[in-house]
Short mmCIF file of all heavy atoms in Angstrom, two decimals:
data_model
loop_
_atom_site.label_atom_id
_atom_site.label_comp_id
_atom_site.label_asym_id
_atom_site.label_seq_id
_atom_site.Cartn_x
_atom_site.Cartn_y
_atom_site.Cartn_z
N ALA A 11 -29.38 -37.90 -82.86
CA ALA A 11 -28.41 -38.53 -81.98
C ALA A 11 -28.47 -37.94 -80.59
O ALA A 11 -27.74 -38.43 -79.77
CB ALA A 11 -26.97 -38.46 -82.57
N TRP A 12 -29.29 -36.95 -80.39
CA TRP A 12 -29.26 -36.17 -79.09
C TRP A 12 -30.53 -36.43 -78.35
O TRP A 12 -31.66 -36.50 -78.94
CB TRP A 12 -29.10 -34.70 -79.34
CG TRP A 12 -27.79 -34.44 -80.05
CD1 TRP A 12 -27.48 -34.47 -81.32
CD2 TRP A 12 -26.50 -34.03 -79.34
NE1 TRP A 12 -26.24 -34.12 -81.50
CE2 TRP A 12 -25.54 -33.87 -80.27
CE3 TRP A 12 -26.26 -33.90 -78.02
CZ2 TRP A 12 -24.27 -33.49 -79.98
CZ3 TRP A 12 -24.92 -33.43 -77.69
CH2 TRP A 12 -23.96 -33.38 -78.71
N ASP A 13 -30.43 -36.55 -77.02
CA ASP A 13 -31.52 -36.63 -76.06
C ASP A 13 -31.56 -35.56 -75.15
O ASP A 13 -30.70 -35.30 -74.38
CB ASP A 13 -31.46 -38.04 -75.34
CG ASP A 13 -31.58 -39.26 -76.19
OD1 ASP A 13 -32.40 -39.28 -77.17
OD2 ASP A 13 -30.77 -40.26 -75.97
N ARG A 14 -32.76 -34.86 -75.20
CA ARG A 14 -32.95 -33.70 -74.26
C ARG A 14 -33.78 -34.17 -73.00
O ARG A 14 -34.84 -34.69 -73.19
CB ARG A 14 -33.65 -32.53 -74.93
CG ARG A 14 -33.72 -31.36 -74.08
CD ARG A 14 -34.07 -30.13 -74.98
NE ARG A 14 -34.10 -28.88 -74.25
CZ ARG A 14 -34.12 -27.62 -74.77
NH1 ARG A 14 -34.06 -27.53 -76.05
NH2 ARG A 14 -34.06 -26.56 -74.06
N LYS A 15 -33.17 -34.10 -71.95
CA LYS A 15 -33.76 -34.81 -70.70
C LYS A 15 -33.94 -33.82 -69.55
O LYS A 15 -33.30 -32.77 -69.51
CB LYS A 15 -32.79 -35.92 -70.24
CG LYS A 15 -32.45 -36.91 -71.39
CD LYS A 15 -31.45 -38.00 -70.93
CE LYS A 15 -30.13 -37.38 -70.79
NZ LYS A 15 -29.00 -38.54 -70.53
N GLN A 16 -34.84 -34.21 -68.68
CA GLN A 16 -35.02 -33.45 -67.42
C GLN A 16 -34.84 -34.38 -66.21
O GLN A 16 -34.86 -35.70 -66.37
CB GLN A 16 -36.53 -32.92 -67.40
CG GLN A 16 -36.75 -31.85 -68.38
CD GLN A 16 -38.24 -31.29 -68.31
OE1 GLN A 16 -39.06 -32.03 -68.72
NE2 GLN A 16 -38.31 -30.12 -67.92
N LEU A 17 -34.61 -33.75 -65.12
CA LEU A 17 -34.32 -34.63 -63.84
C LEU A 17 -35.63 -35.02 -63.28
O LEU A 17 -36.58 -34.29 -63.07
CB LEU A 17 -33.53 -33.66 -62.87
CG LEU A 17 -33.08 -34.51 -61.61
CD1 LEU A 17 -32.02 -35.50 -61.97
CD2 LEU A 17 -32.47 -33.47 -60.55
N TYR A 18 -35.61 -36.37 -62.95
CA TYR A 18 -36.87 -36.99 -62.34
C TYR A 18 -36.34 -37.81 -61.06
O TYR A 18 -35.26 -38.25 -60.90
CB TYR A 18 -37.45 -38.00 -63.30
CG TYR A 18 -38.28 -37.29 -64.36
CD1 TYR A 18 -37.63 -37.00 -65.57
CD2 TYR A 18 -39.68 -37.22 -64.33
CE1 TYR A 18 -38.30 -36.36 -66.68
CE2 TYR A 18 -40.29 -36.66 -65.39
CZ TYR A 18 -39.74 -36.24 -66.53
OH TYR A 18 -40.37 -35.66 -67.58
N LEU A 19 -37.30 -37.83 -60.16
CA LEU A 19 -37.14 -38.65 -58.92
C LEU A 19 -38.11 -39.80 -58.90
O LEU A 19 -39.44 -39.50 -59.01
CB LEU A 19 -37.34 -37.72 -57.68
CG LEU A 19 -37.32 -38.49 -56.35
CD1 LEU A 19 -36.07 -39.15 -56.04
CD2 LEU A 19 -37.76 -37.56 -55.24
N ASN A 20 -37.69 -41.09 -58.74
CA ASN A 20 -38.60 -42.19 -58.66
C ASN A 20 -39.14 -42.23 -57.25
O ASN A 20 -38.42 -42.65 -56.28
CB ASN A 20 -37.77 -43.44 -59.05
CG ASN A 20 -38.67 -44.68 -58.86
OD1 ASN A 20 -39.91 -44.60 -58.80
ND2 ASN A 20 -38.03 -45.79 -58.79
N VAL A 21 -40.31 -41.80 -57.12
CA VAL A 21 -41.03 -41.69 -55.81
C VAL A 21 -41.51 -43.03 -55.27
O VAL A 21 -41.92 -43.07 -54.11
CB VAL A 21 -42.15 -40.63 -55.83
CG1 VAL A 21 -41.65 -39.22 -56.03
CG2 VAL A 21 -43.22 -41.07 -56.81
N LEU A 22 -41.27 -44.14 -56.06
CA LEU A 22 -41.62 -45.47 -55.48
C LEU A 22 -40.44 -46.13 -54.97
O LEU A 22 -40.51 -47.25 -54.43
CB LEU A 22 -42.32 -46.29 -56.69
CG LEU A 22 -43.61 -45.82 -57.22
CD1 LEU A 22 -44.18 -46.87 -58.12
CD2 LEU A 22 -44.67 -45.59 -56.07
N SER A 23 -39.18 -45.50 -55.05
CA SER A 23 -38.04 -46.17 -54.51
C SER A 23 -38.09 -45.91 -53.01
O SER A 23 -38.55 -44.98 -52.44
CB SER A 23 -36.81 -45.47 -55.17
OG SER A 23 -36.75 -44.17 -54.85
N ASP A 24 -37.37 -46.98 -52.34
CA ASP A 24 -37.24 -46.84 -50.87
C ASP A 24 -36.15 -46.02 -50.48
O ASP A 24 -34.95 -46.40 -50.73
CB ASP A 24 -37.12 -48.33 -50.40
CG ASP A 24 -37.06 -48.32 -48.89
OD1 ASP A 24 -37.15 -47.32 -48.16
OD2 ASP A 24 -37.03 -49.54 -48.35
N PRO A 25 -36.36 -44.90 -49.91
CA PRO A 25 -35.26 -44.00 -49.48
C PRO A 25 -34.36 -44.46 -48.29
O PRO A 25 -33.42 -43.80 -48.04
CB PRO A 25 -35.95 -42.68 -49.20
CG PRO A 25 -37.34 -43.08 -48.66
CD PRO A 25 -37.70 -44.29 -49.51
N ASN A 26 -34.82 -45.62 -47.74
CA ASN A 26 -34.03 -46.18 -46.68
C ASN A 26 -33.02 -47.14 -47.19
O ASN A 26 -32.10 -47.68 -46.44
CB ASN A 26 -34.87 -46.84 -45.68
CG ASN A 26 -35.84 -45.94 -45.03
OD1 ASN A 26 -35.28 -44.81 -44.56
ND2 ASN A 26 -37.07 -46.28 -44.86
N GLU A 27 -33.03 -47.44 -48.49
CA GLU A 27 -32.03 -48.41 -48.98
C GLU A 27 -30.96 -47.70 -49.84
O GLU A 27 -31.24 -46.68 -50.62
CB GLU A 27 -32.73 -49.45 -49.90
CG GLU A 27 -33.67 -50.38 -49.29
CD GLU A 27 -34.30 -51.38 -50.17
OE1 GLU A 27 -33.98 -51.38 -51.30
OE2 GLU A 27 -35.05 -52.29 -49.61
N VAL A 28 -29.80 -48.20 -49.71
CA VAL A 28 -28.67 -47.55 -50.42
C VAL A 28 -28.41 -48.34 -51.69
O VAL A 28 -28.35 -49.57 -51.70
CB VAL A 28 -27.29 -47.59 -49.57
CG1 VAL A 28 -26.17 -46.95 -50.42
CG2 VAL A 28 -27.62 -46.70 -48.35
N SER A 29 -28.22 -47.70 -52.93
CA SER A 29 -27.87 -48.44 -54.13
C SER A 29 -26.69 -49.13 -54.10
O SER A 29 -25.70 -48.80 -53.33
CB SER A 29 -27.87 -47.39 -55.24
OG SER A 29 -26.86 -46.53 -55.13
N ASP A 30 -26.64 -50.26 -54.80
CA ASP A 30 -25.42 -51.15 -54.67
C ASP A 30 -24.39 -50.72 -55.70
O ASP A 30 -23.45 -51.50 -56.00
CB ASP A 30 -25.88 -52.60 -54.87
CG ASP A 30 -26.63 -52.81 -56.18
OD1 ASP A 30 -26.71 -51.89 -57.03
OD2 ASP A 30 -27.08 -53.96 -56.32
N ASP A 31 -24.54 -49.60 -56.41
CA ASP A 31 -23.47 -49.20 -57.35
C ASP A 31 -22.49 -48.23 -56.68
O ASP A 31 -22.50 -48.02 -55.48
CB ASP A 31 -24.11 -48.51 -58.55
CG ASP A 31 -24.96 -47.30 -58.16
OD1 ASP A 31 -24.91 -46.85 -56.97
OD2 ASP A 31 -25.89 -46.91 -58.96
N ASP A 32 -21.57 -47.65 -57.44
CA ASP A 32 -20.53 -46.85 -56.90
C ASP A 32 -21.16 -45.58 -56.30
O ASP A 32 -20.43 -44.88 -55.50
CB ASP A 32 -19.45 -46.48 -57.91
CG ASP A 32 -18.72 -47.73 -58.29
OD1 ASP A 32 -18.72 -48.69 -57.63
OD2 ASP A 32 -18.10 -47.69 -59.49
N LEU A 33 -22.31 -45.07 -56.75
CA LEU A 33 -22.91 -43.83 -56.25
C LEU A 33 -23.41 -43.99 -54.79
O LEU A 33 -23.47 -42.88 -54.17
CB LEU A 33 -23.96 -43.35 -57.26
CG LEU A 33 -23.53 -43.16 -58.77
CD1 LEU A 33 -24.74 -42.63 -59.49
CD2 LEU A 33 -22.43 -41.99 -58.78
N LYS A 34 -23.77 -45.06 -54.39
CA LYS A 34 -24.28 -45.33 -53.04
C LYS A 34 -25.50 -44.26 -52.88
O LYS A 34 -25.49 -43.59 -51.81
CB LYS A 34 -23.22 -45.13 -52.07
CG LYS A 34 -22.00 -46.12 -52.15
CD LYS A 34 -22.52 -47.50 -52.12
CE LYS A 34 -21.30 -48.49 -52.30
NZ LYS A 34 -21.81 -49.83 -52.42
N MET A 35 -26.43 -44.26 -53.67
CA MET A 35 -27.57 -43.29 -53.51
C MET A 35 -28.62 -43.79 -52.65
O MET A 35 -28.97 -44.98 -52.73
CB MET A 35 -28.10 -42.97 -54.93
CG MET A 35 -27.05 -42.46 -55.98
SD MET A 35 -27.04 -40.67 -55.95
CE MET A 35 -28.56 -40.37 -56.82
#
């Protein structure tokens, strides 16, 4: 039932665009 995860960065994402969710990333 457990997932062991690491932090990843999607390097194909456009860093000039802001996400449309509440995080505004």
Side-chain angles (χ1 to χ4, degrees):
W12 297 85
D13 295 320
R14 187 163 183 165
K15 303 176 288 187
Q16 292 180 292
L17 184 65
Y18 287 83
L19 171 63
N20 180 16
V21 294
L22 296 187
S23 63
D24 184 355
N26 295 316
E27 292 185 0
V28 177
S29 64
D30 55 6
D31 56 17
D32 293 338
L33 297 180
K34 302 300 180 185
M35 303 265 286

